[in-house]
Amino acid sequence: MARYGKEHKQATRQRIIETAGRRFKKDGIDGSGISTLMADAGLTNGAFYAHFASKDDLVAATVADQLRTQYANIIEQAAPGIAGLEQIVRWYLSPQHRDSPDDGCPSAALLDEVGRCADETKQAYTDGVLAVIDGIAARLAPTDPRSVRTKTLSVYAMMVGTLQLSRALADRRLSDELLEEGVRNALTLLSAQPPATGG
């Protein structure tokens, strides 16, 4: 019976994290109170502290979970090498991703708020986003992914900004064109060789 209790508690905690991820991406971290988050999970407010020490604790766990999910569903599923790189970029900068922020990238939905969060959340974000970046970098430079980590992070930042801007534009056609241009720019930057140094 105790074993079931532990598994049940873990499943309940995961349900809270998953529903919180959708709510945070929809309404923002600051715009999502504990009562709303618990109602989304079908639980009472009183159950919150059985699973999390604080809202910051939940936010950090949710950010980590969102990035793990992005890694598992997008990065791990992409083909190796340049073909996979193109799959990732095209998925990221797609109209479908633009139109479904609740199920999309936590960076595009929450980056400005994560920057104002507690160190615990920033660390969870850093660890999670670097796993995503390293998965992309492994396709760009399979023999030495660390050598292209910062370049990949920079292109990822451009993709996040492009997706955010595409969501904010009232002009649908312009938004679609921006996404297409973003795909071209990202693939160009990722395939470009660094300039030769020295004389």
Side-chain angles (χ1 to χ4, degrees):
M1 190 67 178
R3 183 177 160 85
Y4 168 80
K6 186 176 180 183
E7 287 173 2
H8 180 74
K9 184 174 180 177
Q10 192 56 41
T12 301
R13 176 183 165 87
Q14 188 57 33
R15 185 166 86 237
I16 296 166
I17 288 170
E18 286 171 9
T19 56
R22 285 192 290 279
R23 175 66 67 176
F24 288 156
K25 289 187 289 187
K26 183 173 177 276
D27 295 340
I29 294 168
D30 291 342
S32 304
I34 289 174
S35 58
T36 301
L37 296 168
M38 294 305 282
D40 286 349
L43 298 164
T44 63
N45 284 7
F48 179 82
Y49 291 101
H51 299 282
F52 302 97
S54 63
K55 184 178 174 187
D56 285 344
D57 183 27
L58 170 61
V59 171
T62 301
V63 165
D65 182 71
Q66 287 284 313
L67 287 161
R68 266 195 307 275
T69 300
Q70 184 178 10
Y71 184 86
N73 293 348
I74 307 303
I75 309 301
E76 273 189 341
Q77 304 302 319
I82 299 302
L85 201 61
E86 189 165 337
Q87 284 177 316
I88 293 165
V89 169
R90 289 189 183 284
W91 166 78
Y92 197 93
L93 295 174
S94 67
Q96 295 80 7
H97 189 198
R98 174 196 59 206
D99 297 342
S100 19
D102 301 12
D103 297 319
C105 173
S107 296
L110 300 173
L111 199 57
D112 58 331
E113 286 191 276
V114 169
R116 294 191 299 270
C117 281
D119 289 347
E120 173 188 12
T121 299
K122 286 183 185 174
Q123 191 60 59
Y125 178 80
T126 301
D127 295 343
V129 86
L130 288 178
V132 169
I133 294 306
D134 289 344
I136 297 170
R139 285 162 177 80
L140 182 59
T143 57
D144 188 10
R146 297 289 280 211
S147 70
V148 294
R149 186 186 231 188
T150 306
K151 174 183 181 173
T152 305
L153 189 57
S154 176
V155 174
Y156 181 78
M158 183 200 73
M159 289 166 49
V160 169
T162 300
L163 186 63
Q164 289 175 319
L165 183 55
S166 75
R167 286 176 174 165
L169 293 172
D171 183 334
R172 180 82 174 188
R173 209 175 106 227
L174 181 59
S175 178
D176 288 344
E177 289 170 2
L178 175 64
L179 290 173
E180 289 169 20
E181 187 65 26
V183 168
R184 280 191 294 274
N185 291 341
L187 293 175
T188 299
L189 287 168
L190 288 169
S191 64
Q193 293 302 311
T197 56

